[in-house]
Amino acid sequence: MKKQYLIKGGRVVDPANSIDAPLDILISDGKIEKVGPGLKVIAHEIIDAKDKIVTPGLVDMHVHLREPGREDEETVKTGTRAAVHGGFTSILCMPNTEPPLDRPHIIKSLKDVIAKDAFCNVYIAGTITEDRSGRKLADFEKLKMEGAFAVTDDGSSIQDAALMEEALKNAALFKLLLIEHCEDTSLSLGGVMNKGFISTKAGLRGISAKSEYLAIERNLELAKKLAVRIHIAHVSCKESVELIRRAKKAGVKVTAETAPHYFTLTDDCCSTYDTNTKMNPPLRTKEDVDAIKAGLADGTIDIIATDHAPHTDSEKDVEFDYAPFGIIGLETALSLGIAELVDKKVLSWSGLISKFSANPAGILEMPTGNLKPGSPADITIIDPDKEYIFKKESIESRSKNSPFINWKLKGKAVTVFVQGTITMRDELIL
Amino acid sequence: MAEKKTVWTKKDLLGLEYLSKEEIELILYTAASFKEVTTRQIKKVPALRGKTVVNLFYEPSTRTRTSFELAAKRLSADVINIEIEASSVKKGETLIDTGRNIEALKIDIIVVRHNASGAPNILARSVKARVVNAGDGWHEHPTQALLDMLTLKSKLGRLEGLKVSIIGDIAHSRVARSNIWGLTKLGAEVTVCAPPLLIPDGIERMGVRVTTDVDEALKGADAINVLRMQFERDGALAFPSKLEYFKQYGITAERLKNCKKDIVVMHPGPINRGVEMSSEVADGKNSVILEQVTNGIAVRMAVLYLVAHAKGAE
C-alpha cells in the first residue's frame, strides 16, 4: 500500500466537479480518497497547501517525446521529467518519431520504454497514415488494440480530402480521437514565418494564415457531413477561431487546442531571426493573439496544449531558413497561462484549469483530470505568486529551444503527485 | 555637406533599418571624403593598415566582392576571400562555427554575403569581429542602398523631398528594402512599382506608396531605381514572359519622354538589357549606372572604416 497524504489548507480548483473552494484532499493507495473542508484524518504526511492552488494534474495532449529515433533531442525520461517539472501529470505523445508510431509493434516497444522510464502518465497517439506519408491509412483497429488514444499525422497535414474523409470515418468507428494538424501546404511551402508585414521586412518567406484556416474549413465540413468528431491541433490565427466558433454553433463535433506561444508572442519576435521563434504554425499578429484569447474565453478553444517540440542547440543555431520548426513548452506553459490568461482576466482559475486538465482528459477519455474520490491521485499544487526567472540551466527537457529563456515568470507548480506518488517537489524530481 | 557630430558606435552594419538618419548621413559624409581618395594618383590611405578583412561569400557575386575587396585594399587592409557554396552549407560547418573559426584567425571585419535572410544578424551576435552585410537573402543590401543614395545626392544635391521610384521585383529584392529604409529616413518620398505578384504583403507599412503602373511610378519622379528582374523562382514564373515584362514595365526612351527631363536612372546591376531597361536608356544621358559602381567603393571604404573604429563597440 502506497503512502497516505493529506493536502491541507489549499484552494481546490476542480472544474470537472465545479469546485473552487478551500478544501483538504486525502490521498490513499494512489487514489483520491476524500475531498472536504477541514479533514481530520491521520496520514503519513501532511502537505501544507496554504496560499496554494490545488488542481487535478495537468494534461498536455500535444507532446513530442522524440523516442524512438531522436533521443538526442528528447527521450521518454527527459520529456516526462520536463512534464512534471511544469506541473503536468499526463501527456499524449505524438507519433512523428523515427520510425513513426504507425504499427502496433512500434507502439508496443514504446510502451515498454514508458513503463521503465516515464515520470508521468504517458498516453500514445498513433499515426493516421502509414509512414506518415499521407497516402494510405494505418490500421486503426490494431493501433487502438495496442493502446493508442488518438491518431494524428501531426507535423504533416492530410492534403488528400478523400483520404481525410476515410480517416475520419475509421477514427469514429474505432473510437479514436482524430487530431489534425491543418495546413494546406500549397499555401505554405517553403515558408518559415507568418506571411505579412514582418516577413516582408525581414525578407523571409511567409506562411499564409490561409494555409491553416482553409484546411480547417475543409476538415470541419467533412466532419460535419459525416457527423463525426475532429480535434484541431494548435490553432494560431483569427480566421481559424471564427470558423471553429461557427462550426460549434452549427453542432459540428469539433474540439480545438492552442499553444501558449500563440497567446503570448507575435511574429514581431521573428525580426531578430531568433530561431526559437520559428514554429509551425508560425507566430501570428497581435490581432490573432487577441482572437485566440477571445476563443479561449468563450470556449471556442477547449484546450491549451504545448506542442512541446524539442530540437538540439546545434539544429537551432543556424540560419532562420535552415532551422527546424518548433519550441519546447512543457516547463513554461502554466506560468504563461497564468500571466496571459488569469492575470489579464481572460480566464478564471477554474477556466484555466479546465483548458489544462479537465477538457483534454475528458476529450481523450483519460481516467484523470478531476479530483473525484476514487480517481487516480494525479494532482498539481501551484504557487500562484511564486516569481522566478526561467533559466536555461533549470530546463529538464533534453533540448533548450525556448524563446522564454530569461523571461521573468510568475506562478509555478511546486508539488506534483502522479498516481499518489510525489513526483516533483520544490524543483526536485523524485 | 556639413560635418556631422554623430559618432559611430555600431559594431556591425547589418541593414539600414537599424540605423538612424544621422548614422546614414555620417556614412555618406565619410564616403564623400573617401571618394576623393579614389581619384588620386596614389589611391590608397593607411586607415586600416594592419587590419584584416574577410569577404565571406555564400553566394557568388563578382561585383560586390570586387568592390569590397578594392575598398579594403585602398584602406591598406589585408583581404582574404572565402567562397562557400550554399548547397554545401547544410552538410558542412555551420555559419556560427565558420564565423568563430575566422575570428580565431584574428580577423577584424567579416563582410558576409548570404542567400539566407538574417544570416549576418546571426553571425554578428556570435562573433566579436565586425560584421558588414554584403547582401542577405531578400532582406537587406545596405551598401548598395548607400551607394545609390550617395549617387543621388551627388547628382541632385539632396535627398530630402526627392521623389524616388523603385521599379521591379520588390518582393525578392534586398536592394529595394535597404533603399526604402535609407531613403525614407532621409526624407525622400518613395514609390515602389511591381507586377501584383511581386509586391510583398504590407510593404506600404514601410512608408512607401505602392503602384502596379509603371507610368504612374515614373510621373514626377526625380529618380528611378530599376531592379534586376529574375524570371525563374522556385521553378515557377513570376511573370509570363520577358517580352511581356519589357512591354509592361521596361524603362524605354519612349517612357522617359513623359518624365522629368533630368530624371536620374539607376540600376544595381547586372542589367538585363531589353528586359527591365532598354540599352538606349542604360547607356543614355540620364543613366548613372557606372557612377554607382564608382561610388560603391567610396561607400564601402566608409563603412569598413567606421565599423573598424566604432566607439565603445569593443
Side-chain angles (χ1 to χ4, degrees):
Chain A
M1 179 162 157
K2 284 187 187 170
K3 227 168 130 177
Q4 276 188 329
Y5 293 94
L6 180 65
I7 302 172
K8 231 182 148 37
R11 171 182 168 190
V12 172
V13 176
D14 178 17
N17 297 302
S18 306
I19 290 170
D20 183 348
L23 295 170
D24 299 342
I25 299 175
L26 179 68
I27 299 168
S28 184
D29 202 19
K31 293 203 163 25
I32 292 166
E33 170 117 0
K34 224 184 256 179
V35 180
L39 289 185
K40 299 226 175 342
V41 288
I42 295 166
H44 295 106
E45 190 178 339
I46 293 174
I47 310 280
D48 179 13
K50 192 171 170 296
D51 302 324
K52 308 282 191 294
I53 293 176
V54 183
T55 73
L58 308 186
V59 177
D60 185 352
M61 67 177 287
H62 200 137
V63 175
H64 297 273
L65 284 180
R66 303 294 190 220
E67 191 167 353
R70 288 308 303 269
E71 290 83 353
D72 58 325
E73 293 179 325
E74 194 77 287
T75 61
V76 168
K77 186 175 173 182
T78 57
T80 55
R81 284 178 69 93
V84 293
H85 187 216
F88 292 93
T89 60
S90 301
I91 60 176
L92 180 73
C93 68
M94 293 291 111
N96 62 335
T97 48
E98 298 172 17
L101 308 180
D102 62 349
R103 287 173 173 81
H105 72 273
I106 303 168
I107 292 182
K108 187 170 187 307
S109 53
L110 177 61
K111 275 161 58 183
D112 293 341
V113 178
I114 290 166
K116 185 164 63 69
D117 288 350
F119 282 76
C120 68
N121 308 311
V122 180
Y123 298 88
I124 294 172
T127 64
I128 295 175
T129 64
E130 282 183 4
D131 211 28
R132 298 179 59 249
S133 63
R135 284 196 284 273
K136 183 170 182 284
L137 288 189
D139 188 332
F140 288 3
E141 185 181 17
K142 285 187 178 149
L143 296 178
K144 173 84 180 183
M145 299 231 311
E146 198 55 57
F149 269 66
V151 285
T152 179
D153 272 3
D154 184 64
S156 305
S157 179
I158 306 287
Q159 301 300 306
D160 184 320
L163 187 72
M164 188 65 188
E165 200 166 24
E166 282 180 36
L168 284 165
K169 279 186 200 165
N170 270 5
L173 178 63
F174 297 109
K175 296 191 168 49
L176 283 160
L177 182 69
L178 189 141
I179 303 171
E180 184 60 358
H181 163 133
C182 296
E183 177 183 358
D184 181 334
T185 53
S186 71
L187 289 161
S188 62
L189 194 70
V192 295
M193 67 168 291
N194 183 45
K195 188 173 165 76
F197 172 58
I198 305 293
S199 67
T200 288
K201 202 162 73 94
L204 293 170
R205 194 184 293 267
I207 299 173
S208 163
K210 290 184 207 91
S211 67
E212 175 178 313
Y213 69 77
L214 291 181
I216 289 180
E217 191 168 32
R218 181 198 78 178
N219 293 335
L220 289 174
E221 194 56 32
L222 292 175
K224 181 180 173 181
K225 287 278 153 41
L226 295 168
V228 297
R229 286 201 301 170
I230 185 166
H231 178 79
I232 310 292
H234 44 53
V235 172
S236 76
C237 67
K238 62 174 192 281
E239 293 88 349
S240 302
V241 176
E242 187 51 32
L243 283 166
I244 295 164
R245 182 178 287 129
R246 273 191 249 150
K248 282 190 168 184
K249 275 189 193 139
V252 181
K253 290 191 254 178
V254 56
T255 51
E257 69 185 43
T258 191
H261 38 278
Y262 300 123
F263 60 69
T264 307
L265 303 175
T266 65
D267 60 355
D268 267 328
C269 301
C270 304
S271 297
T272 61
Y273 303 96
D274 176 356
T275 56
N276 286 334
T277 64
K278 180 176 175 181
M279 64 282 287
N280 188 20
L283 297 173
R284 307 281 187 192
T285 67
K286 171 77 170 48
E287 274 182 20
D288 296 297
V289 167
D290 291 343
I292 296 286
K293 285 182 174 173
L296 283 162
D298 73 5
T300 301
I301 300 174
D302 307 88
I303 286 163
I304 301 167
T306 65
D307 197 2
H308 180 84
H311 292 291
T312 64
D313 280 354
S314 61
E315 289 177 284
K316 278 287 197 180
D317 281 348
V318 295
E319 293 84 336
F320 201 88
D321 280 345
Y322 305 155
F325 290 106
I327 60 167
I328 56 169
L330 284 165
E331 293 165 84
T332 46
L334 177 60
S335 302
L336 295 171
I338 294 169
E340 290 298 320
L341 305 176
V342 177
D343 288 357
K344 295 189 177 168
K345 312 228 177 296
V346 175
L347 294 175
S348 63
W349 267 100
S350 183
L352 183 77
I353 299 306
S354 300
K355 314 277 181 194
F356 263 130
S357 180
N359 292 354
I363 287 163
L364 284 157
E365 296 173 41
M366 293 172 173
T368 186
N370 77 82
L371 299 173
K372 209 169 68 188
S375 304
D378 295 334
I379 297 172
T380 300
I381 303 177
I382 299 163
D383 181 345
D385 302 315
K386 183 175 172 140
E387 292 188 353
Y388 67 106
I389 308 276
F390 183 60
K391 285 287 187 198
K392 192 169 183 178
E393 306 79 68
S394 75
I395 296 174
E396 289 286 345
S397 171
R398 177 160 284 179
S399 291
K400 318 295 174 192
N401 52 314
S402 169
F404 303 111
I405 288 169
N406 294 329
W407 274 42
K408 194 177 165 193
L409 299 173
K410 199 190 87 178
K412 198 173 198 313
V414 288
T415 309
V416 171
F417 285 88
V418 177
Q419 299 195 20
T421 302
I422 295 186
T423 310
M424 196 275 285
R425 174 143 60 177
D426 300 328
E427 301 289 302
L428 276 181
I429 291 155
L430 308 162
Chain B
M1 205 182 306
E3 180 154 6
K4 298 288 183 239
K5 282 185 186 146
T6 312
V7 176
W8 186 268
T9 55
K10 293 217 157 59
K11 172 173 119 36
D12 314 296
L13 176 68
L14 301 175
L16 298 192
E17 180 188 357
Y18 315 116
L19 299 188
S20 67
K21 175 176 189 256
E22 290 72 25
E23 286 169 325
I24 294 170
E25 283 173 341
L26 177 64
I27 298 173
L28 296 178
Y29 173 80
T30 311
S33 52
F34 279 126
K35 193 174 170 182
E36 186 267 320
V37 172
T38 65
T39 61
R40 290 180 196 167
Q41 203 65 32
I42 307 290
K43 300 179 180 59
K44 202 161 187 159
V45 289
L48 290 189
R49 219 174 118 200
K51 302 268 184 195
T52 312
V53 176
V54 162
N55 287 324
L56 177 63
F57 275 53
Y58 286 84
E59 234 181 30
S61 158
T62 313
R63 70 175 53 217
T64 305
R65 206 214 62 220
T66 307
S67 182
F68 267 107
E69 187 170 349
L70 270 175
K73 284 180 169 167
R74 286 180 180 172
L75 293 166
S76 306
D78 297 309
V79 188
I80 294 169
N81 294 312
I82 300 175
E83 280 179 40
I84 299 174
E85 255 185 79
S87 58
S88 70
V89 168
K90 282 188 183 178
K91 292 174 226 157
E93 191 176 51
T94 67
L95 172 68
I96 292 174
D97 281 338
T98 302
R100 288 184 182 147
N101 274 282
I102 289 173
E103 190 167 52
L105 297 169
K106 306 296 172 201
I107 302 296
D108 301 283
I109 302 175
I110 303 173
V111 175
V112 61
R113 158 69 64 98
H114 205 295
N115 51 301
S117 295
N121 302 59
I122 291 168
L123 181 64
R125 55 178 178 253
S126 312
V127 297
K128 288 193 198 72
R130 313 300 199 230
V131 173
V132 174
N133 181 3
D136 62 324
W138 310 336
H139 176 221
E140 284 229 34
H141 192 351
T143 57
Q144 177 68 45
L146 288 163
L147 74 87
D148 293 343
M149 290 161 75
L150 183 66
T151 307
L152 274 181
K153 190 151 188 170
S154 59
K155 275 281 149 192
L156 299 172
R158 67 191 167 105
L159 290 168
E160 192 161 358
L162 285 187
K163 290 188 165 63
V164 183
S165 292
I166 306 171
I167 300 161
D169 181 356
I170 306 295
H172 305 102
S173 174
R174 53 194 172 212
V175 175
R177 285 172 179 75
S178 286
N179 263 288
I180 292 169
W181 289 122
L183 288 167
T184 54
K185 283 182 191 202
L186 267 68
E189 288 172 38
V190 181
T191 298
V192 297
C193 172
L197 284 176
L198 297 176
I199 293 173
D201 288 81
I203 188 83
E204 66 286 348
R205 284 175 63 190
M206 284 171 76
V208 299
R209 199 167 66 100
V210 181
T211 177
T212 55
D213 177 355
V214 73
D215 292 308
E216 198 186 313
L218 289 171
K219 205 171 135 194
D222 297 298
I224 54 172
N225 202 338
V226 185
L227 304 173
R228 181 178 163 81
M229 184 67 193
Q230 278 173 297
F231 281 83
E232 294 217 6
R233 291 209 172 266
D234 317 319
L237 287 181
F239 205 80
S241 78
K242 288 185 183 182
L243 200 65
E244 190 61 24
Y245 185 82
F246 186 63
K247 244 163 75 185
Q248 296 265 346
Y249 291 93
I251 307 301
T252 58
E254 191 59 32
R255 279 211 158 100
L256 289 188
K257 275 184 191 156
N258 304 317
C259 298
K260 283 194 176 175
K261 204 161 76 15
D262 53 355
I263 186 169
V264 175
V265 176
M266 299 189 288
H267 191 295
I271 310 175
N272 294 307
R273 288 170 184 264
V275 179
E276 61 259 4
M277 187 183 282
S278 69
S279 280
E280 200 183 349
V281 172
D283 304 328
K285 68 175 175 53
N286 299 87
S287 166
V288 295
I289 295 170
L290 295 175
E291 283 179 67
Q292 288 175 272
V293 176
T294 308
N295 286 334
I297 297 174
V299 155
R300 287 170 181 128
M301 286 172 79
V303 166
L304 293 172
Y305 175 81
L306 288 170
V307 297
H309 295 96
K311 294 272 183 302
E314 308 307 316

